[in-house]
Amino acid sequence: MGSTDASPSAVAPPTAGDPGRAPAVEAMFTRIAPRYDLSNRVMSFGIDRAWRRIALRELGDRADGDVLDLCAGTMDFSVALAGRAKTIVALDFCQAMLDAGTSKVPAGTPLRTVCADARAMPLDDNSLDGAVAGFGIRNVPEPERAVAEAYRVLRPGGRLVVVDFFRPRSLLARAMDLSYNRVVLPLVGGLLTGEFSAYRYLAASMGAWSDREGFERMCTAAGFRIVRGRELFPPVASIVIAEK
Ligand SMILES: C[S@@+](CC[C@H](N)C(=O)[O-])C[C@H]1O[C@@H](n2cnc3c(N)ncnc32)[C@H](O)[C@@H]1O
C-alpha cells in the first residue's frame, strides 16, 4: 500500500500503462474487502456463480489437478474448486481480500494463499495444470506481464480461463455497459460499501481496457493458443479460454 496518493479517484485507468498505480489499486481493494462479497452478490444478482461454473467447466479435467486462482480476491473460485482440485494456489497482491475470503474455504482444502503481484508470481515454471482469473486481470497494470506469467507457470496443455468485463463491442453489450456497468454498478456498489469512488473506478476500468479480441491477441503474443472466447449471458462479462 504505502502510497500517499492512494485515493481511488487517483487511480489511473487500466490502459494508462502506469506500473506505479498498483499501490493505489491495492489500497482501493483493501478498503472494499470487508464488503466485497456482499456487493458482488447484490450487483450481479448471483449470476457470477453461473459464470464461475462455466469457467470451471472450461478448465475440464485440469480442475482436478494443480490450479491457480489468479487475482483471487476473496477466493470464490478457490471455494468452487475445493473438493475437486489436487492443490489450489490463491494469488492476490491484496492481503485484506485474501483474509476476507479465507473462512469461506472448507477446512482441509489443499489451499496455499500467496500475497504477490500477478506480474511477478513466486511460482515455479510449468507447475500448474490450470489457471482461472475472475474479474482481476483488467486491474493489473501491464496485464500482458500477468498473462506471460500465467503462461510460464502452466504446464504444456494447461489452460488459462479468464472471466472479465472487457471493453464492450456489440450493440447489446454496449447498451448493457452504459446502463448496468456505468450506472447501476457504481451506485449499488457505492451504497453497499460507502466507497463510491472505488466503484466508479471499477466501472470506468471496464471501458478503459482491452476488448476481448485485444485480450486474446495478448494471450497469443504470450504463446497461448486461443481455444475460444465469447460473451456470457447477460453480455456484460465475457470468457476467454487459452491453452499452453
Ligand atoms: C474485482 S477483484 C476479483 C476477485 C475474484 N477473482 C473474484 O472473482 O471475485 C480483483 C482482484 O484483483 C487483485 N489484483 C489487482 N491487481 C493485481 C495485481 N497486480 N496482482 C495481484 N492481484 C491483483 C485485487 O487485489 C482484487 O482482489
Side-chain angles (χ1 to χ4, degrees):
M1 269 166 70
S3 167
T4 51
D5 188 20
S7 73
S9 53
V11 182
T15 49
D18 170 18
R21 76 188 162 84
V25 172
E26 194 272 340
M28 181 191 79
F29 279 107
T30 296
R31 279 193 296 275
I32 62 176
R35 311 209 80 191
Y36 177 81
D37 280 341
L38 172 68
S39 55
N40 230 8
R41 287 292 102 74
V42 173
M43 289 184 308
S44 77
F45 306 104
I47 288 167
D48 67 299
R49 290 211 174 93
W51 294 340
R52 288 176 204 282
R53 275 197 297 276
I54 292 170
L56 293 198
R57 210 181 305 138
E58 292 289 3
L59 274 183
D61 59 10
R62 296 160 192 85
D64 303 324
D66 304 309
V67 186
L68 171 65
D69 181 358
L70 177 57
C71 296
T74 57
M75 292 191 278
D76 276 0
F77 267 124
S78 299
V79 172
L81 283 159
R84 185 165 174 196
K86 191 169 135 214
T87 64
I88 304 165
V89 179
L91 183 143
D92 199 289
F93 75 168
C94 179
Q95 187 64 51
M97 288 289 277
L98 293 171
D99 289 346
T102 304
S103 64
K104 299 189 306 190
V105 184
T109 301
L111 169 80
R112 177 157 72 103
T113 57
V114 178
C115 187
D117 197 305
R119 294 170 296 175
M121 300 185 211
L123 304 175
D124 291 340
D125 296 357
N126 304 307
S127 58
L128 295 155
D129 300 298
V132 65
F135 317 101
I137 292 187
R138 81 168 186 280
N139 294 291
V140 179
E142 309 168 293
E144 65 283 356
R145 284 181 59 190
V147 172
E149 277 290 87
Y151 186 84
R152 178 183 67 75
V153 301
L154 282 172
R155 298 183 175 120
R159 273 191 185 182
L160 168 66
V161 177
V162 176
V163 178
D164 217 318
F165 301 111
F166 295 95
R167 193 170 70 227
R169 290 194 61 176
S170 74
L171 208 59
L172 181 59
R174 284 215 298 273
M176 292 291 289
D177 177 60
L178 279 175
S179 52
Y180 178 77
N181 290 344
R182 303 298 175 121
V183 180
V184 178
L185 192 144
L187 186 69
V188 179
L191 283 171
L192 287 172
T193 64
E195 293 287 345
F196 284 92
S197 49
Y199 278 87
R200 269 200 304 275
Y201 162 78
L202 285 172
S205 70
M206 296 170 199
W209 89 300
S210 176
D211 56 23
R212 180 168 51 77
E213 289 77 2
F215 180 72
E216 288 173 4
R217 284 195 294 278
M218 203 184 284
C219 292
T220 309
F224 282 107
R225 173 182 77 86
I226 298 300
V227 178
R228 68 188 138 264
R230 65 178 175 90
E231 276 175 359
L232 293 166
F233 180 82
V236 283
S238 296
I239 188 166
V240 174
I241 299 106
E243 194 166 298
K244 175 165 173 178

